[in-house]
Amino acid sequence: MLAVHLVSFFFSKLQEDPTKKVDRFLYAMRLHDDQLKDISARFQAEMKKGLSAESNVTATVKMLPTHVRSTPVGSEKGQFLALDLGGSKFKVLQVKVREGMGIRRGGVEMEEKTYPIPGELLAGRGAELFDHVSESLKDFLHEKNISLEKKHPLAFTFSFPCEQSTLDQGKLLNWSKNYQVRGFQGKDVVQALREAIDRTGVLAMVNDTVATMMTCGFDDNYCEVGLIIGTGTNACYMEELRHVDLVEGDEGRMCVNTEWGGFGDDGALNDYITEFDKDVDAASNNPGKQIFEKMVSGMYLGELVRLVVLKMAKQGLLFDGFVSHALRTKGKITTADVASMEEYKNGLKNTKDILTGLDLNPSPDDCIAVQHVTTIVSFRSSNLVSAGLAAILTRIKQNRNLRALRITVGVDGTVYKTHPQYPKRLHKVVRRLLPECHVRFVLSDSGSSKGAALVTAVAQRLASQRRKVDETLSPFRLSHEQLQLVKARMRTGLEAGLKTKGPSAIKMLPSFVYHTPDGTEHGKYLGLDLGGTNFRALLVKFKKGLQNNTRLYHKLYTIPQEIMQGTGEDLFDHIVDCISDFLDYMGLKNARLPAGFTFSFPCEQTAIDTGTLVSWTKGFKATDCEGHDVVSLLREAIKRRNEFDLDIAAVINDTVGTMMSCAYEDPQCEVGLIAGTGSNVCYMEEKNLGDAKIQKMCINTEWGGLGDDGSLDDIITPYDVEVDQNSFNNGKQRFEKLTSGMYLGEVVRQVLLDLTRGGLLFRGHVTEPLKTRGIFETKYLSQIESDRLALLQVRSILQGLGLESTCDDSIIVKEVCGAVSRRAAQLCGAGMAAVVDKIRENRGLDHLNITVGVDGALYKLHPHFSGVLQETARVLAPQCNVTFLPSDEGSGKGAALITAGRETQTSS
């Protein structure tokens, strides 16, 4: 019996626990994690809707672009005036930002003065409100001895929903909080401010959330979210520009002001809204609007508590059913009272004092119960904010394709600052909802005014940076007139190379290839292809008259750097090792096959099967080769190995091989272009051949030498000079150094190095990787310039090179890559225009149809190179219809074709 009595006693005590009846009464306000995740998912859907141009009009979460494109990096500077308008008072400030003092160094000095706004202005005409702002500003200038005559840059924090088309313009969508100023909705508030103020230039208008993010971002470069939990509530964050439909462009990021207070205005939160929320909404100045804000913000929390306590009292659950007149009066419990009642040590005493002040006589249990009501109401607020913030952080993480996210949230607002439990609850729930995110919360110590000045400072920094970057890249942006000059100089060089017995910049080397394939080629042939860092061995089988029935087998071998720059004997022995392996692979060691040798370096030929190396290019420096017949060097190496024998019937350049390979598919192909590690062109010439019996011959132009005589000095930049001086062949192959894959990455690195030294990139930090020659390979240009590549991936590429970059850095790097590669493509296009126009004039034609066979990684892999080259050639040679045909099998097949052609002629 005693046990039964004890259970009954404890059960009755449990029933009497005042917090339990509150829990039952406010069950709908106690949100568990699954509900918060559901709310977060709904908010993510609303964010997506607000960002889309198609659905933004009907979206309740407006996702307003702010035109703030960057957070502070520490190099901002300047002196600004700032206005902060958003509550019953507003502030005027003078803000001084010192260069290089940001990112935890401190460097913003502020002087401020707060001015009250008379209550009648909050419901008066807009002109009267801004006249008051203007008079207060003039008072501040006078007090601080700041000249009224001089024009001052002004930053304006305006904490109401605005639609911005630029940083210095904003149309008011609607008033919030307790503002009901007439005749202003839909109007540009910045213009109204300008009309009220004579001698200031409003450079930026920002929302208080944006300003908070910028303030905290000045000290923490991970800060990319701003959060306000005060009289009102809102959040902003840095969104990928490609997702912001309402703004043109897709490069970089832009801060988006979510205006999340409107979440739920379309009924999205109806299943979470309580009767108390409905009562607060019905009694507000804007029924049906700002539903989320009314559940969360300081303007309404006290009133929610009052309505709960009132109803509990009416039902006899508090104060023995007594209801005072004060408890029935709207606004008698404030959010400050809520914070006071939840104080850790004095909370119950404060609760009793507040209730007594409402003409109530609370019991100790009443005080405990009312304190618990405030806890549930404020805890729900922090939970809802956590759900919204989790949605934003999840979107950022997904945008950047990250498994984990490190980010800082800048926070401001009286609820966050004064409520003793609110920050801890918010932090804990956010981290519980997103365990994979490392989230740091930073309290804004200077309010939103400092942030507005920093927005202006950042805007000035970006504008200055933009001018300097444009100045740096302007020499790479060639005009139509400059390209016409390049075409004319290339044409002059082609003619001079054909006529000159002595040295010329463009060599115009005879190839002793007199015709393109005619379809009679047949048999098995070897193709040997040396042109860069790889050697390729091929076996090609041609069937007579069946151009599309060619069988090709090949293997690729690497040429190590030490072989490229060692002795000639080692180089050719290595080539023979590769050939031996290939013959073993194909089971042809005992067969004596005819072979064609593609040798992609300048050679003087006196016959098809001899070629004296004029000079190495593309990084090769093997000794005892220049001035020697490369066919003889290969034959000697074969003899040294003494394992097999080859009949080397032809040596050709890779451009010739490419032309022949493509001509096998298209009889109109009479030009070969290489746009890869090197840059070169060949074509079928029919004049100035020095022998009347020869009707045509393929000429290897070696156009990479254009400019060796100084003819390109007017377009060569200091970066090109630096690349040339650090090359193996200083003063040679100047055109190739402007156009080929071997050098473009190094040109880009030189530009990046200069921009960094000028403080325009990588925060001015010149790192060891950036100083390392050759680290920026041309393949990175192709990757970085890909239209499908997000800036996050650009940053990943740079990070892989040891270059820590911001989003702004990535944009500039991408722009540098684009300028350098576009110039290369345009120069190749201008050179091609000179070649095809020469062919047209040689033949006395008004119009020429011709095909260019093309090979090379730059042409094939770079996302824009081929298009720019083709367009430039079209514009500069309008009387030529040029088709560009990429080579599938490369120049090795062309060497086999020439060999097959010779064998066919010999046998016939």
Side-chain angles (χ1 to χ4, degrees), residues 529-535 598-601 617-618 620 654 677-678:
D529 190 349
L530 177 68
T533 55
N534 293 318
F535 172 74
T598 302
F599 188 77
S600 308
F601 304 91
T617 57
K618 294 178 280 193
F620 275 75
D654 52 351
T677 306

Side-chain angles (χ1 to χ4, degrees), residues 699-724:
I699 298 294
N700 166 22
T701 67
E702 288 296 337
W703 76 357
L706 180 68
D708 291 2
D709 56 0
S711 61
L712 295 178
D713 285 358
D714 55 334
I715 65 167
I716 285 175
T717 70
Y719 311 109
D720 301 312
V721 172
E722 191 72 25
V723 169
D724 177 53

Side-chain angles (χ1 to χ4, degrees), residues 78-126:
Q79 185 168 304
F80 311 91
L81 293 172
L83 299 179
D84 190 344
L85 178 63
S88 59
K89 300 174 182 178
F90 84 99
K91 290 193 292 188
V92 183
L93 306 92
Q94 183 182 35
V95 184
K96 297 177 182 177
V97 184
R98 297 202 304 276
E99 182 178 11
M101 296 302 290
I103 312 302
R104 297 194 183 92
R105 295 182 191 173
V108 178
E109 299 173 4
M110 297 194 298
E111 295 183 77
E112 65 178 65
K113 186 174 181 180
T114 301
Y115 293 86
I117 299 179
E120 61 270 18
L121 291 183
L122 300 183
R125 292 187 301 110

Side-chain angles (χ1 to χ4, degrees), residues 504-560:
S504 61
I506 300 179
K507 301 290 184 207
M508 301 299 283
L509 302 171
S511 69
F512 295 89
V513 172
Y514 302 110
H515 54 80
T516 52
D518 60 9
T520 62
E521 297 80 10
H522 61 278
K524 290 194 297 186
Y525 303 92
L526 279 179
L528 312 173
D529 190 349
L530 177 68
T533 55
N534 293 318
F535 172 74
R536 192 174 181 225
L538 311 92
L539 176 68
V540 189
K541 297 179 181 180
F542 300 106
K543 290 194 177 180
K544 189 172 183 179
L546 297 173
Q547 282 137 308
N548 294 323
N549 196 358
T550 303
R551 302 289 294 277
L552 187 145
Y553 310 87
H554 74 98
K555 234 180 152 181
L556 203 63
Y557 301 88
T558 300
I559 307 290

Side-chain angles (χ1 to χ4, degrees), residues 462-513:
L462 291 177
S464 173
Q465 182 185 61
R466 177 75 269 150
R467 285 193 301 273
K468 291 174 182 175
V469 171
D470 282 344
E471 288 170 7
T472 299
L473 296 183
S474 62
F476 291 95
R477 294 172 177 142
L478 303 177
S479 66
H480 179 76
E481 291 72 26
Q482 286 175 305
L483 292 171
Q484 286 280 21
L485 281 172
V486 172
K487 176 191 173 185
R489 291 165 186 169
M490 180 65 79
R491 178 63 182 273
T492 301
L494 297 174
E495 301 288 3
L498 285 170
K499 293 174 182 175
T500 305
K501 294 291 185 184
S504 61
I506 300 179
K507 301 290 184 207
M508 301 299 283
L509 302 171
S511 69
F512 295 89
V513 172

